Amino acid sequence: MPTDNIVLFRELAACLFIVDLAAYMPYARTCLGPGYWRGTPLAWMPVRVVVYGLWIVSCLSLLTGIFPLLGALTLLAIFRRIYVKGRWKTLFRGGGAPGFMSHYAILFITLFQLAGWLDPTLRLEGTVWTIFRVDFGVVLLCSGTYKSLSGYLKSEGMEYGLANPIWGYEWRLFKKLNPGNFFLRAQDFMAAITQIVMGSLLALSPIYPPFGWVGAAMCIGTFFYLMFTVRLGRLAPLMIIVALPYLPNLGISLFRNLGFARDLPVIALPEIAISVLIGFCWTYVAFLPFVKVMQYTNLFLSRKFPEPFQSLLTRYANWVPIIMWRVFTPDVTNFFIRIRQLDDVTGMTTAIADEDSGYSYRGLRGLLWKFRFLHVTESIAVTTVFTTLKYFQSQRELFEQKLVAYSRTLGEGTFEFEYVAILKGETSFDFLAVSRFRVETASGRISEEKLVPDFNYSAPAAYSHIKETVGYGTYVPAGKQAAP
C-alpha cells in the first residue's frame, strides 16, 4: 500500500483543517458559537477556546507526526460533534458537504493510525486501505448517479451555481452566457458522467490497482478545475488530497524526514482480535449496498423498505453517516437571498449581503460581513434556511422558526430577506426577485411581500426528485407506507 502517500494525505489534510479554522475565526461567535450553537457547550467562550486550542494542537500533531493517533482521535471527536451531530440540529448544518468531507477525511486518517498502532503485521491496515478505496469510490459514484437522475443529463445542473453570486467566483461572466451554450451543456454532462466513471474506477481499484491511478487522476483534475470555478471552500482541495493515496508512491512528505515524528508504542493485539476488527470492516462494506439501495428507493421510487429494516438502516446511515451526496443540484443553486437591515425609524435599508456587498470580492465596504458571507459554510447555512420551503412544504412554521433564528445571528432589529430566483432567459440568466420576508428579531414576527404572486418558490427544480420527508436525515417520503 502507498504508505508515503497516506502520510502526505494526513499532512496536507492537517494544513487544510488549520486554514479552515482560521477562516472561521472572523465570525466564529456565529458559526462556532452562540449564533448557531445556542444551548450547547459551544455557546460558552471557555469551551470554544479549549476546542480551538485542541483543534490547532491536533492539526500540528498530524502535520509533524508527533503522536498523530492522539491528534487524529481528538480531531475526530471535534469534527463528529460539529460536522455530523450538528448536521440536523443547528443552522450550521454540519458545514454541508465540506464539513462532511472533513469528518470523512479525519475518520480514515484515524483508522489508518489505529490500524498501524494495533497490528504491526499490517493486515488490519491493509484491510482499512481496501475499505477506503471502495468507500471513496462509492461516494463519487453516488454523486454522479444523483446528478444524472436529477437533471444534469438534461442540461439542468451546474450552470445555476456558476451564475449564482453566492456560489460562482465568476458569476457575472456566466450570468451573461446563453443558458443553451454548448460549454454549459457539455459541462453538465461531463460532471455527471465523469463522477460515475471515476467513482467506478476507484471502487474497483482493489481488484485492478491501475483503475485507482486513472480514477484518482480524473478526480484530481476535476476538483482542481472546480477549485477556481465555484465556491466550495476546502471541499475541492480535500477531494484532491483524499485521492492521493490511490496514486503510485510519490515519496513526498512535508515533515516525515525532519526527525520530529514520535508515536505511541505499537500494541500487538492477539490474532483473534485482529480478525474480529477485520470482520467489522467488511461488515461495513456488506451493509453499504443495502443502505444505498434503500436511500435511492426511498427518494426516487417513493417507497419504504419493510420494517424494521427501514428504521434500522436509516438509523445506521445517520450514525455512520452515509449520505446521498446531493451536491450542487439546482434545488440549492437556482436561487439566492439578498439580505438587508432596515432602519425602523427612517425605513432606509442597508445591504448586508447581495451582489455588490457581502457576496462580492470587490471593494472593502462591509468587510466584516464579507468574511462571513464569502465563506462556503455561510452560503450553505442561508441556503438551507430557504430550502426548508421545498423539503418541508407543509411545515411553514419550521421555516419561520429557522428564519427568525438566523435573523438573530445578524444582530438586533428588522431584517429583510429577498428571495431571488435564477431563471434561464433567451440569451442570458435572469435574476427575478419573487418575494421579500421581513423579520423583527425582538418579537419574532415575520411578514411577507410577494413580488411575483404566481411564483412558487416551494416547487422543486425541473427534474428534481425531492419531496417532503418524515424528518431530517431520511429520504422516506412523508405519509408513505412500508412496501409490501
Side-chain angles (χ1 to χ4, degrees):
M1 58 183 295
T3 304
D4 286 350
N5 289 3
I6 291 175
V7 171
L8 182 62
F9 162 36
R10 186 195 74 205
E11 294 172 339
L12 292 176
C15 293
L16 275 180
F17 297 152
I18 291 177
V19 171
D20 203 36
L21 179 61
Y24 282 135
M25 284 299 98
Y27 79 114
R29 195 175 185 279
T30 297
C31 65
L32 295 176
Y36 291 164
W37 297 87
R38 190 173 302 278
T40 74
L42 277 175
W44 305 340
M45 175 60 80
V47 172
R48 296 203 299 277
V49 171
V50 171
V51 169
Y52 302 159
L54 289 174
W55 190 320
I56 294 171
V57 171
S58 298
C59 288
L60 293 176
S61 167
L62 296 179
L63 186 59
T64 60
I66 300 175
F67 301 113
L69 174 58
L70 298 180
L73 287 169
T74 303
L75 269 185
L76 179 62
I78 294 172
F79 287 4
R80 186 159 186 87
R81 177 66 185 92
I82 294 173
Y83 296 135
V84 176
K85 291 189 176 181
R87 185 172 180 83
W88 309 117
K89 298 179 180 178
T90 68
L91 292 171
F92 185 73
R93 281 286 287 138
F100 178 91
M101 205 61 214
S102 292
H103 173 266
Y104 186 92
I106 196 60
L107 174 61
F108 272 102
I109 289 171
T110 303
L111 292 176
F112 281 126
Q113 295 298 144
L114 274 173
W117 180 54
L118 296 174
D119 179 20
T121 70
L122 302 183
R123 280 183 60 221
L124 182 56
E125 189 173 279
T127 301
V128 170
W129 168 227
T130 300
I131 303 307
F132 168 78
R133 285 186 285 177
V134 172
D135 194 63
F136 185 57
V138 170
V139 166
L140 287 167
L141 177 60
C142 288
S143 179
T145 300
Y146 187 89
K147 287 179 172 64
S148 298
L149 296 173
S150 301
Y152 268 64
L153 299 185
K154 297 180 180 179
S155 299
E156 286 286 316
M158 189 174 171
E159 66 275 12
Y160 290 104
L162 293 172
N164 192 322
I166 71 171
W167 298 114
Y169 286 123
E170 299 296 335
W171 66 268
R172 288 181 174 86
L173 169 64
F174 284 102
K175 181 179 183 293
K176 297 175 183 178
L177 293 182
N178 188 317
N181 182 289
F182 173 79
F183 168 76
L184 296 179
R185 291 187 288 111
Q187 186 170 242
D188 280 347
F189 182 85
M190 292 300 296
I193 299 304
T194 301
Q195 286 194 336
I196 291 176
V197 173
M198 76 173 74
S200 300
L201 291 173
L202 295 177
L204 292 172
S205 64
I207 299 173
Y208 186 60
F211 282 166
W213 309 343
V214 177
M218 292 174 66
C219 182
I220 290 169
T222 297
F223 284 94
F224 183 80
Y225 165 73
L226 292 176
M227 188 161 54
F228 300 99
T229 309
V230 290
R231 189 182 304 144
L232 298 176
R234 80 276 197 189
L235 177 62
L238 261 178
M239 296 297 281
I240 293 172
I241 290 169
V242 173
L244 291 178
Y246 289 88
L247 299 177
N249 202 335
L250 300 174
I252 300 173
S253 172
L254 303 180
F255 283 89
R256 190 176 189 181
N257 299 323
L258 298 183
F260 295 146
R262 300 287 186 276
D263 215 338
L264 299 173
V266 174
I267 296 177
L269 289 182
E271 183 70 21
I272 183 65
I274 297 298
S275 296
V276 169
L277 292 175
I278 290 175
F280 277 124
C281 291
W282 286 112
T283 299
Y284 169 78
V285 174
F287 271 97
L288 190 58
F290 292 101
V291 171
K292 288 300 177 183
V293 170
M294 177 198 71
Q295 290 176 336
Y296 277 77
T297 300
N298 291 168
L299 183 63
F300 290 96
L301 300 181
S302 298
R303 301 289 295 237
K304 291 177 62 175
F305 270 22
E307 294 293 355
F309 301 109
Q310 176 70 47
S311 297
L312 290 174
L313 288 175
T314 298
R315 292 193 188 100
Y316 172 73
N318 289 340
W319 178 79
V320 171
I322 303 171
I323 65 173
M324 206 161 196
W325 279 87
R326 302 188 296 187
V327 179
F328 232 64
T329 47
D331 282 311
V332 298
T333 59
N334 67 3
F335 73 95
F336 68 95
I337 307 299
R338 294 175 181 142
I339 305 175
R340 307 180 183 98
Q341 185 168 17
L342 276 69
D343 187 312
D344 293 330
V345 177
T346 65
M348 299 291 290
T349 62
T350 301
I352 291 176
D354 63 15
E355 301 93 311
D356 299 313
S357 56
Y359 300 141
S360 174
Y361 287 93
R362 300 178 179 180
L364 298 177
R365 184 169 64 91
L367 183 61
L368 292 178
W369 287 120
K370 288 179 187 288
F371 282 124
R372 175 172 175 175
F373 285 98
L374 290 176
H375 198 294
V376 65
T377 298
E378 192 64 19
S379 299
I380 292 165
V382 68
T383 297
T384 52
V385 169
F386 285 86
T387 54
T388 306
L389 293 165
K390 300 180 181 182
Y391 298 155
F392 298 95
Q393 295 183 24
S394 70
Q395 301 182 48
R396 176 77 177 200
E397 69 282 359
L398 180 60
F399 161 68
E400 293 185 353
Q401 290 169 9
K402 293 172 70 172
L403 183 58
V404 170
Y406 184 85
S407 300
R408 287 171 177 163
T409 70
L410 300 174
E412 298 179 356
T414 302
F415 295 91
E416 181 179 271
F417 299 84
E418 188 170 83
Y419 189 108
V420 183
I422 300 178
L423 306 176
K424 291 183 176 181
E426 292 186 3
T427 60
S428 65
F429 290 88
D430 299 328
F431 291 172
L432 178 66
V434 299
S435 197
R436 290 195 187 108
F437 302 86
R438 289 190 177 181
V439 182
E440 299 174 6
T441 58
S443 65
R445 190 172 73 88
I446 298 176
S447 60
E448 180 181 0
E449 176 188 4
K450 291 194 174 183
L451 306 176
V452 183
D454 59 347
F455 188 93
N456 183 7
Y457 46 63
S458 297
Y463 309 110
S464 169
H465 293 267
I466 67 163
K467 54 184 68 70
E468 185 167 5
T469 61
V470 297
Y472 292 112
T474 178
Y475 299 101
V476 179
K480 291 289 182 181
Q481 301 301 314

